[in-house]
Amino acid sequence: RASFFDHAYDFYKPNLSSEYPTVDGQLSIKSFLKALTECYKGMKSKLEVQNKETFSLDSVDYACFHTPYCKQTYKSMNHLFKIDMEQKLLSGEGFPYKI
């Protein structure tokens, strides 16, 4: 388990008498991906210490994501693959996935 908290006004209710909150869609997506990145890195670190081996998405059978709209899941999984790819390329392992 990993968690992340950030002060961002992407979804808030400045006017308490209003029924609806104020939403900043672009900031909300950026905040979500930042939280996803930090949680993935935190979980990855914990699992690597616990299992004494490198962790990557190759070890994951399934993932659950918050889905405010249909493409968010796709973007989230691509974002995690990008993190893994960058780490493997920087460590000298080469391109980690078969095309």
Side-chain angles (χ1 to χ4, degrees):
R1 176 186 292 190
S3 59
F4 175 79
F5 182 84
D6 193 16
H7 292 283
Y9 290 100
D10 62 323
F11 189 89
Y12 67 107
K13 201 166 183 180
N15 183 0
L16 297 178
S17 63
S18 172
E19 185 177 351
Y20 302 103
T22 299
V23 179
D24 182 342
Q26 289 182 341
L27 180 59
S28 187
I29 293 168
K30 288 178 184 177
S31 296
F32 178 81
L33 291 177
K34 181 178 179 182
L36 180 65
T37 299
E38 295 304 317
C39 287
Y40 182 66
K41 288 179 180 179
M43 187 181 74
K44 184 177 171 106
S45 296
K46 286 181 182 181
L47 289 171
E48 288 178 348
V49 168
Q50 180 182 345
N51 299 334
K52 297 177 177 59
E53 62 183 39
T54 304
F55 176 83
S56 72
L57 288 176
D58 295 333
S59 308
V60 176
D61 291 328
Y62 60 90
C64 297
F65 298 103
H66 171 64
T67 312
Y69 59 93
C70 59
K71 287 188 178 181
Q72 184 69 31
T73 305
Y74 177 77
K75 288 180 179 185
S76 299
M77 203 64 195
N78 280 339
H79 190 71
L80 295 180
F81 274 117
K82 180 183 169 195
I83 292 169
D84 269 3
M85 225 182 320
E86 287 173 351
Q87 185 177 22
K88 288 182 180 186
L89 289 171
L90 290 173
S91 68
E93 292 181 40
F95 192 75
Y97 302 103
K98 295 179 182 177
I99 297 178

